[in-house]
Amino acid sequence: MSTGFFDGIDKVVYEGPDSTNPLAFRHYNPDEIVMGKRMEDHLRFAVAWWHSFAWEGGDPFGGPTFVRPWHPQDGMDRARLKADVAFEMFDLLGAPFFCWHDADIRPEQGSFADNLATLNEITDYIGGKMATSETRLLWGTANMFSHRRWMGGAATNPDPDVFAFAAATVKGCMDATHKLGGANYVLWGGREGYETLLNTDMGRELDHMGRFLSMVVDYKHKIGFQGTILVEPKPQEPSKHQYDFDAATCIGFLRKYGLEGEVRLNLEQGHAILAGHSFEHEIAVAAAEGMLGSIDMNRNDYQSGWDTDQFPNNTPEVALAYCHILKSGGFTTGGTNFDAKLRRQSLDAQDLVAAHVGGMDICARGLKAAAAMIEDGGLDAALAERYAGWDTPEAQAMLNSDLGAISDRVLAKSINPEPRSGRQEMLENYVNRFV
Ligand code: XLS
Ligand code: NI
Ligand code: NI
């Protein structure tokens, strides 16, 4: 029986670019083939339980604005109602995946044992819903940042009892993710970092974090979880400085603790911006190291310098991101999660659906533009031309030479390079033909 929350809203369908229906897809056509693969299989969209169903619309200056039938979120009946509504929206959107934190799906009980019991109960319930739904689990994760017990970190907390609570919490969440057939398990360390170095032993905290992640990987193998373990970089917020600063920092960390073959990255557009990078920079860094896992496709407000988690609505940004994803071979276990929330004045069920429709559509449009650009080959040709000098045997031999021999060659041949244009504006104009 329907909850009635989405009454009056029909299943969202593809109507093509000329449609003026605000709740139709104009670009997202799941079965359409893009570079030899169905659009749905490229994009692998996921709805985030926390922002779409658990967030109540508060900001630092005011409390909740959303009044939902499952608020306040303090009991199991309401947790089940929230799950019923979530699956109704997955069906309306044809969303292939969803994601959760433990704290989004079960009420906070105060003790570990009670939290674990309700987590197991609600994930059984969600498993039952999945049995009659097409929607699968992209990833599960533990919220180890909201409750006051985590204020000084989880795996990096100075108190070993918090480390223990964190390890037990992650075990429970990994078990639940495994039970629901999750494709990945994510760790985002919002409080794994520091507020002041005056009270922080950074080297020790990093070692604890490395040890913790190694235990996660060991446990994955022990239970036979086939999904990918992902860490999610972010430079700050909520901590003043977070250890998983950006893709490059995470990769260095993973290599230091010997986890580079086991863990990949979940990259978020807004976090890239907070770190002072473009999103495609972060994707390219991860792809170059073979560590691209999944993405959170939500952006910041560029005025705020804060993680405002807005739905994507800018084609050029999204197109360049998918261009790098496609060039790296696309997602394997990963996908496109909307770690995105409504604006707090967007009160209606229709707003929630429209936000996802718009996000899915802009990503589909970006994907098509990226594919068209790759198939046209203009960027690859420009790149090949720019590096063409390296195709000569002489240039290649230099890489296996030494400074002395190279110096002799420069003198003998009077090598005196003439700078050539980087053609940036030409290339930007080229991209604009496709977006
Ligand atoms: C917060 C993060 C978080 C992770 C999952 O900024 O993006 O939502 O995606 O814990
Ligand atoms: Ni975020
Ligand atoms: Ni995220």
Side-chain angles (χ1 to χ4, degrees):
M1 209 185 62
S2 153
T3 66
F5 185 71
F6 294 107
D7 273 1
I9 302 177
D10 297 327
K11 190 166 171 54
V12 181
V13 294
Y14 172 72
E15 291 184 3
D18 295 331
S19 171
T20 56
N21 175 358
L23 293 188
F25 295 123
R26 297 190 299 128
H27 298 278
Y28 182 55
N29 184 12
D31 290 321
E32 189 175 319
I33 302 294
V34 176
M35 288 178 70
K37 196 156 123 184
R38 292 174 64 248
M39 218 185 249
E40 182 180 76
D41 299 335
H42 272 293
L43 293 162
R44 295 168 61 84
F45 287 127
V47 175
W49 206 285
W50 51 103
H51 288 323
S52 293
F53 306 109
W55 187 59
E56 298 182 352
D59 73 6
F61 300 90
T65 55
F66 301 155
V67 180
R68 308 293 198 211
W70 58 92
H71 293 171
Q73 302 174 68
D74 55 3
M76 283 303 284
D77 284 350
R78 296 207 186 91
R80 277 187 289 271
L81 172 61
K82 187 163 56 169
D84 293 343
V85 170
F87 275 85
E88 284 175 11
M89 193 174 84
F90 303 158
D91 291 345
L92 279 179
L93 293 169
F97 293 100
F98 68 105
C99 303
W100 51 257
H101 299 89
D102 51 354
D104 313 322
I105 53 177
R106 55 125 181 91
E108 174 63 42
Q109 307 285 306
S111 83
F112 176 73
D114 290 343
N115 277 348
L116 183 64
T118 46
L119 179 71
N120 289 337
E121 192 183 329
I122 196 70
T123 46
D124 282 343
Y125 187 73
I126 289 173
K129 306 217 60 104
M130 289 172 74
T132 55
S133 161
E134 301 279 305
T135 306
R136 308 269 71 95
L137 178 61
L138 186 66
W139 44 268
T141 187
N143 175 330
M144 300 197 294
F145 45 89
S146 294
H147 192 276
R148 64 193 289 276
R149 75 175 68 89
W150 310 118
M151 70 178 191
T156 62
N157 200 290
D159 180 350
D161 282 352
V162 179
F163 183 100
F165 204 111
T169 299
V170 169
K171 177 193 176 291
C173 288
M174 288 178 76
D175 287 338
T177 301
H178 186 37
K179 176 175 76 184
L180 296 179
N184 307 272
Y185 184 83
V186 166
L187 296 108
W188 169 65
R191 307 241 181 233
E192 311 292 25
Y194 64 80
E195 298 302 316
T196 171
L197 283 176
L198 295 174
N199 65 13
T200 303
D201 181 345
M202 197 194 305
R204 182 200 286 257
E205 291 199 358
L206 286 166
D207 283 346
H208 289 178
M209 198 163 96
R211 191 64 204 111
F212 190 94
L213 196 52
S214 302
M215 289 188 210
V216 167
V217 167
D218 290 346
Y219 191 66
K220 161 192 155 147
H221 292 302
K222 183 169 174 210
I223 61 175
F225 176 58
Q226 298 296 316
T228 310
I229 304 292
L230 302 171
V231 294
E232 183 174 329
K234 186 177 181 182
Q236 79 268 344
E237 197 227 330
S239 300
K240 176 175 168 55
H241 177 94
Q242 279 162 217
Y243 295 137
D244 288 338
F245 194 94
D246 61 0
T249 311
C250 285
I251 290 167
F253 173 87
L254 294 174
R255 288 199 190 289
K256 176 172 180 197
Y257 295 98
L259 295 167
E260 67 273 20
E262 296 278 4
V263 178
R264 291 181 169 212
L265 305 183
N266 182 45
L267 300 170
E268 179 165 315
Q269 202 258 9
H271 299 181
I273 305 299
L274 285 179
H277 300 307
S278 66
F279 193 30
E280 61 268 25
H281 167 90
E282 289 291 85
I283 294 170
V285 168
E289 302 279 347
M291 291 193 203
L292 176 59
S294 199
I295 63 169
D296 282 0
M297 190 69 248
N298 42 290
R299 69 177 184 87
N300 295 350
D301 182 312
Y302 294 116
Q303 279 170 291
S304 75
W306 204 242
D307 192 11
T308 54
D309 289 325
Q310 294 173 224
F311 281 86
N313 49 16
N314 177 329
T315 310
E317 272 177 355
V318 170
L320 288 177
Y322 284 112
C323 189
H324 285 273
I325 290 168
L326 287 174
K327 284 212 274 188
S328 80
F331 295 127
T332 50
T333 60
T336 303
N337 176 42
F338 295 116
D339 188 357
K341 54 179 184 266
L342 292 174
R343 305 301 88 200
R344 73 194 281 274
Q345 296 181 53
S346 303
L347 301 180
D348 299 342
Q350 190 172 13
D351 294 317
L352 187 58
V353 176
H356 286 88
V357 169
M360 291 163 82
D361 231 19
I362 210 78
C363 288
R365 190 167 165 186
L367 178 84
K368 287 193 291 186
M373 226 159 21
I374 291 172
E375 280 168 344
D376 184 72
L379 290 180
D380 275 349
L383 215 56
E385 194 197 322
R386 191 156 189 244
Y387 290 87
W390 284 99
D391 294 341
T392 64
E394 231 180 353
Q396 285 301 311
M398 180 167 61
L399 293 176
N400 296 316
S401 179
D402 59 69
L403 295 188
I406 295 172
S407 175
D408 291 346
R409 192 168 66 92
V410 171
L411 288 169
K413 300 188 101 179
S414 302
I415 290 178
N416 193 11
E418 188 58 38
R420 293 169 58 207
S421 171
R423 301 175 62 212
Q424 183 168 342
E425 293 79 2
M426 301 268 288
L427 294 170
E428 286 165 349
N429 295 351
Y430 173 83
V431 168
N432 283 342
R433 269 173 45 202
F434 294 87
V435 296

